[in-house]
Amino acid sequence: MKASQDIPLKAKLRKAESSNTTKSYALILPLGIFLLVFFLVPIASMIYRSVDNPLLAKHLPRTSEALKLWDSSKTPDEKTYATFVAELKAVGEKTSIGRIAARLNYDKGGMRSLVVKTARKLKRVSVNTLPPEGTWKKTLAKIDKRWDQPEYWATIKNAGAPITVGYYLAAVDKKLDINGAVVKVPEHKRIYLAIFWRTVWVSALVTSLCFLFGYPIAFLIARVQKKCVNLLLIMVLLPFWTSLLVRTTAWIVMLQREGVVNDLLIFLRLIDEPIQLIYSSFGVLVAMTHVLLPLMILPVYSVMKNISPDYVHAGLSLGATPWTAFWKIYFPQTLPGVGAGALFVFILTLGYYITPALVGGPQDQMISQFIVYHANHSLNWGLASALGTLLLLGVLSGYGLHNKIAKIDTIKLN
Amino acid sequence: MNKTLKAALFSFMVTSLAGQGIVFAESITVVSWGGAYTMSQVKALHKPFTEKTGIKVISENYSGGLAQIKAQVEAGKVTWDVVDLDQSAVYRGCNEGLLEEIDHASLPSAPDGTPAKSDFIEGSLLDCGVGTVVWSTIYAYDKTKFPGKAPKSLRDFFNIKAFPGKRGLYKNPVSTLEMALMGDGVPPSKVYATLSTEAGVKRAFKVLDSIKDHAIWWETGSQPVQLLASGEVVMTIAWNGRIFDAQFADKKPFEIVWDHQVVGIDAWGIPKGSPNKENALKFVAFSTNTKPLANQAGYISYGPVRKSSSKLIGVHKEHGIPMLPHMPTAPEHMKNFLQTDSEWWADHEDELKERFNNWLIK
């Protein structure tokens, strides 16, 4: 072919291809926008909120600056007191005072009323004349004795930075002490680390149980005659389509003290007294496994039904025992499905809290319950975001680990 | 499509849009907790308000907390006009600028001329909220489980030896710690002073320690009723309205022990920046007037916050029983009681919640 003919053809092809690419991008544009608005932006804003700490930096900048040089073994100097009084009075608006008070109260209980009260009493005092009690130190101490304790000033100091790791520290049961060093919170206040481990542990247990029960069921569905497949699939899917609350409540009826299971066991004379099946870890594991089982069965089944029986037959005809043929030939081929199912179940369990809250005992609280508490009730959105970000990191690392081991990309969606 | 059909469709669309427009301009959205409680408000407050003013009331439900209000206020798109909040939420919301301040002078006086300020019971008029009902945290037991000696005082709730059996408790330090202390003999007037000290907090947890092995913890108001009905527990801490419902609507053999009840107040709050503030204020003033509050007491066993309403409390609109003996505000129930100190809890809740959860998971 001549070069002069060659070039226009290539150019044409390129043109056609690029317009095709544009078209296909245009087709997924709505999806892209959807992901951006409802997925990426909220996650980004959550991560931002977990470190964002603008309040004190905005309203009490000079106090924070002065406290940086303060020797924390005694109360700050008179100049710092005066700066604090002037800045607190300059805040003026009640709303901002309330927000500052609430922010400081996250770090130290009692700060809320202390700051609100101090601001209210200072209203009647002018900063241009001499302090009523001679010094501002004495004036504040007269309003409330707590201003004589360095730890209250340390709280203000530690909350002063516009970008903070404080929420993350709180999320792992740590805090900044009076000297600005990272220390563990007192023993009786440590909860989040224990709850995080508890959440991961419950998730791992539920995932294992789902595998133990789900794998044989998927195997059965993949093996039975065609006409039975639909029936079995419907039996798996019906509970899957039923509301989560209904299923959880059903388990309460089954497992409670005078419930179906206990009555049956007593009727069969296996036990004399009802046993505690619910409001305990046992109840959580039973209910969660039941709720999440379909998410294990379906991906495993979808992989199994595409595995040709010829491989196992070949193995058997070459002298493998049925077990060896299953374990060496069949099982490895189902691993992508197991991996996907395990990932679904694990990630969903990490975020569950309604079921554990309804059927669990006091030990069975999951981390998402605390995220809801801080998002909804205490309004400590910084801590809620930090806990959420840590949970997200856990999910992502679980996903990464799975990717490495099971190579999720090999799964086919057909 | 033929012309007549098109025309019909067009005129239908226009009228329905216009109809919506009118509804939109003259309506307020009132948000509450759902269930029998919202029903009592719709029947006794919303309907008469619409009849009187022509302003439509759209009723929505939520599950408490300030998160939605905070999100609406921060985004500058406030769609809720009046919200039923508990005291501590009003206090927090007010401090953080999420709620409008309400001028109490705009509230009508009682029929006998008593100004609103002295007609409302103590603690029910807040800077950013106007009280509606008094509800109470009490404990209730199943009569059939105690054929002989029945529990009478809060002390009995914590006495496993004399009254054996599982106990239902609220998985929350608020009201639980107070009840533990009062069950240990601390008088109501000293409860918060005691809880402010480390020794007091330890004492409260020690009392809870004594029943920890017999405790089943609940989180939502419907759970304790279910626990008691199913025989899971023999007595449980609960909210009085829920037990009342079980007693009379479901005919359950439950009995309430009012000794040392912990009373709380629910109040209307207006989210900051509500576009219908005028109408919202009209609704608040109307619905907290003597008669509507007394009427509400005919649907639910939460006491009206106006003293003048108490005299007008009649019988339950469906069960026909006199309501006053089932109210937290009945004189014989108010011999020993504690009023929740929301300001104290606003200071200490975060801290004690951590401590409480730490205690729970140990």
Side-chain angles (χ1 to χ4, degrees):
Chain A
M1 233 183 260
K2 280 181 194 170
S4 59
Q5 281 172 329
D6 206 25
I7 294 159
L9 188 66
K10 259 192 181 166
K12 261 189 202 162
L13 183 70
R14 238 195 328 260
K15 207 176 160 193
E17 269 181 351
S18 83
S19 102
N20 269 345
T21 324
T22 322
K23 271 184 203 156
S24 48
Y25 275 125
L27 275 177
I28 60 161
L29 190 67
L31 177 69
I33 294 173
F34 179 84
L35 282 180
L36 187 74
V37 174
F38 291 101
F39 199 67
L40 293 177
V41 170
I43 288 181
S45 104
M46 174 180 82
I47 295 172
Y48 177 67
R49 270 187 191 272
S50 68
V51 292
D52 184 33
N53 187 35
L55 216 50
L56 266 75
K58 187 181 159 205
H59 291 293
L60 306 173
R62 286 186 296 125
T63 310
S64 304
E65 200 57 44
L67 282 171
K68 271 188 193 154
L69 306 167
W70 157 56
D71 165 19
S72 54
S73 59
K74 46 184 192 267
T75 51
D77 56 12
E78 176 63 16
K79 218 176 127 211
T80 310
Y81 273 87
T83 313
F84 176 66
V85 169
E87 284 192 320
L88 195 63
K89 277 185 71 70
V91 175
E93 213 192 335
K94 206 179 136 199
T95 302
S96 306
I97 295 276
R99 290 198 181 134
I100 293 169
R103 169 65 189 88
L104 290 170
N105 204 68
Y106 296 153
D107 295 346
K108 179 141 188 70
M111 276 305 260
R112 189 192 302 259
S113 61
L114 179 62
V115 171
V116 170
K117 175 178 158 193
T118 308
R120 196 178 57 225
K121 296 233 165 137
L122 282 176
K123 244 184 204 167
R124 280 176 253 130
V125 181
S126 164
V127 274
N128 299 320
T129 55
L130 282 176
E133 302 293 321
T135 65
W136 288 114
K137 208 172 205 165
K138 280 187 189 150
T139 309
L140 282 191
K142 184 150 189 243
I143 292 174
D144 199 300
K145 290 196 297 282
R146 284 176 285 182
W147 289 119
D148 271 345
Q149 295 173 30
E151 49 184 305
Y152 286 89
W153 290 99
T155 310
I156 296 177
K157 179 185 167 185
N158 290 335
I163 296 290
T164 181
V165 290
Y167 295 122
Y168 283 99
L169 292 178
V172 292
D173 297 332
K174 298 217 164 62
K175 64 168 190 179
L176 292 175
D177 74 353
I178 193 164
N179 300 313
V182 176
V183 290
K184 284 185 179 172
V185 298
E187 203 280 323
H188 62 258
K189 281 194 196 163
R190 287 177 209 158
I191 42 172
Y192 298 115
L193 273 185
I195 299 279
F196 264 119
W197 286 124
R198 177 90 211 160
T199 306
V200 172
W201 170 237
V202 169
S203 304
L205 269 181
V206 169
T207 309
S208 321
L209 286 171
C210 279
F211 169 71
L212 275 181
F213 293 113
Y215 195 89
I217 297 172
F219 188 73
L220 180 72
I221 302 175
R223 281 305 175 93
V224 291
Q225 287 174 317
K226 267 243 160 75
K227 58 180 179 188
C228 298
V229 169
N230 277 341
L231 182 72
L232 285 174
L233 273 181
I234 281 180
M235 284 166 69
V236 172
L237 284 171
L238 264 187
F240 186 55
W241 289 329
T242 313
S243 145
L244 170 70
L245 275 177
V246 171
R247 282 185 283 171
T248 307
T249 317
W251 277 113
I252 297 179
V253 175
M254 293 285 285
L255 298 178
Q256 65 194 9
R257 197 172 168 79
E258 291 168 14
V260 179
V261 174
N262 264 324
D263 284 356
L264 190 71
L265 290 177
I266 290 176
F267 176 74
L268 295 173
R269 315 237 161 179
L270 291 171
I271 50 173
D272 303 323
E273 274 280 299
I275 45 175
Q276 191 71 41
L277 297 168
I278 203 171
Y279 309 114
S280 62
S281 304
F282 178 78
V284 174
L285 289 179
V286 170
M288 296 264 283
T289 305
H290 174 243
V291 166
L292 293 163
L293 201 51
L295 289 168
M296 176 66 90
I297 295 175
L298 295 176
V300 174
Y301 164 69
S302 87
V303 169
M304 279 179 172
K305 79 172 189 230
N306 289 322
I307 296 174
S308 164
D310 295 346
Y311 298 121
V312 175
H313 290 160
L316 290 172
S317 70
L318 288 172
T321 60
W323 171 251
T324 315
F326 169 78
W327 183 243
K328 289 266 161 98
I329 297 166
Y330 191 78
F331 185 72
Q333 295 186 79
T334 62
L335 272 181
V338 173
L343 197 66
F344 280 151
V345 174
F346 186 77
I347 289 177
L348 279 168
T349 322
L350 279 182
Y352 257 55
Y353 72 95
I354 296 173
T355 306
L358 288 177
V359 299
Q363 286 93 2
D364 298 303
Q365 307 189 75
M366 306 277 270
I367 196 69
S368 27
Q369 258 173 295
F370 290 86
I371 298 178
V372 170
Y373 169 75
H374 286 300
N376 209 353
H377 195 85
S378 77
L379 294 188
N380 189 349
W381 286 9
L383 182 52
S385 301
L387 290 168
T389 308
L390 288 179
L391 190 61
L392 180 69
L393 279 180
V395 169
L396 287 179
S397 57
Y399 180 75
L401 198 71
H402 167 268
N403 242 354
K404 225 172 179 176
I405 298 170
K407 299 210 176 55
I408 196 168
D409 320 317
T410 59
I411 245 197
K412 286 197 186 93
L413 293 169
N414 56 4
Chain B
M1 209 189 279
N2 69 43
K3 265 186 183 168
T4 1
L5 194 64
K6 261 188 198 168
L9 205 70
F10 179 73
S11 58
F12 172 74
M13 273 165 61
V14 168
T15 44
S16 62
L17 277 178
Q20 271 183 0
I22 290 163
V23 170
F24 194 65
E26 277 289 287
S27 72
I28 53 168
T29 305
V30 176
V31 184
S32 184
W33 302 79
Y37 183 56
T38 294
M39 278 319 292
S40 75
Q41 291 173 328
V42 169
K43 285 177 187 159
L45 314 177
H46 300 190
K47 279 192 181 150
F49 178 70
T50 307
E51 272 163 32
K52 197 184 156 211
T53 60
I55 300 167
K56 201 174 166 227
V57 179
I58 300 162
S59 173
E60 274 190 38
N61 294 328
Y62 81 134
S63 55
L66 286 164
Q68 281 124 310
I69 296 176
K70 181 169 170 169
Q72 289 181 15
V73 172
E74 283 192 1
K77 278 193 75 159
V78 177
T79 55
W80 291 356
D81 301 312
V82 181
V83 186
D84 191 296
L85 296 158
D86 59 42
Q87 253 171 322
S88 91
V90 173
Y91 186 79
R92 278 167 187 252
C94 199
N95 265 344
E96 299 193 30
L98 302 175
L99 299 173
E100 298 275 0
E101 290 199 21
I102 297 176
D103 180 13
H104 302 147
S106 64
L107 299 171
S109 316
D112 63 359
T114 316
K117 219 175 162 185
S118 35
D119 194 28
F120 278 78
I121 62 166
E122 203 195 319
S124 64
L125 286 179
L126 305 149
D127 289 349
C128 299
V130 178
T132 57
V133 293
V134 178
W135 52 277
S136 154
T137 309
I138 41 78
Y139 84 89
Y141 61 90
D142 185 338
K143 276 193 269 189
T144 59
K145 298 278 161 59
F146 298 100
K149 202 171 76 164
K152 287 234 152 29
S153 66
L154 185 58
R155 214 176 260 268
D156 295 340
F157 183 83
F158 295 98
N159 189 345
I160 297 281
K161 251 189 210 147
F163 301 96
K166 295 247 177 200
R167 309 291 203 255
L169 283 116
Y170 187 23
K171 200 197 272 175
N172 197 321
V174 181
S175 78
T176 307
L177 294 180
E178 288 105 307
M179 286 179 120
L181 281 184
M182 291 192 293
D184 198 31
V186 177
S189 58
K190 298 236 171 78
V191 164
Y192 289 106
T194 311
L195 268 185
S196 299
T197 63
E198 177 61 23
V201 176
K202 281 205 173 126
R203 181 170 172 188
F205 279 113
K206 216 177 142 204
V207 177
L208 293 177
D209 269 333
S210 67
I211 57 163
K212 196 176 184 182
D213 292 341
H214 307 270
I216 305 245
W217 300 90
W218 55 265
E219 286 185 59
T220 61
S222 59
Q223 276 176 293
V225 180
Q226 197 265 334
L227 289 174
L228 203 54
S230 67
E232 196 72 35
V233 299
V234 296
M235 52 178 97
T236 182
I237 290 182
W239 297 326
N240 75 299
R242 305 279 186 162
I243 298 293
F244 174 84
D245 233 38
Q247 281 173 322
F248 292 97
D250 303 331
K251 307 267 182 277
K252 296 281 180 202
F254 298 164
E255 192 73 43
I256 292 178
V257 176
W258 293 95
D259 175 54
H260 287 103
Q261 59 164 330
V262 180
V263 302
I265 287 166
D266 262 23
W268 294 126
I270 301 175
K272 193 136 204 171
S274 151
N276 303 312
K277 196 183 161 193
E278 282 294 304
N279 285 342
L281 278 172
K282 265 190 217 164
F283 175 78
V284 169
F286 173 88
S287 63
T288 57
N289 207 344
T290 304
K291 233 181 134 215
L293 282 185
N295 275 342
Q296 194 189 352
Y299 295 100
I300 195 138
S301 65
Y302 294 134
V305 290
R306 273 194 189 246
K307 290 169 202 155
S308 56
S309 304
S310 297
K311 294 167 201 151
L312 302 178
I313 294 179
V315 295
H316 193 280
K317 299 274 196 272
E318 279 147 32
H319 312 315
I321 47 159
M323 287 302 284
L324 188 61
H326 301 284
M327 294 289 177
T329 43
E332 64 266 35
H333 301 157
M334 298 298 266
K335 282 179 208 147
N336 279 313
F337 76 101
L338 174 76
Q339 188 161 357
T340 309
D341 187 341
S342 302
E343 195 166 347
W344 189 90
W345 274 114
D347 256 3
H348 297 92
E349 184 166 0
D350 294 343
E351 211 178 357
L352 284 176
K353 178 99 183 172
E354 279 171 4
R355 204 159 161 172
F356 182 75
N357 279 303
N358 173 283
W359 174 82
L360 271 181
I361 60 178
K362 256 195 283 197

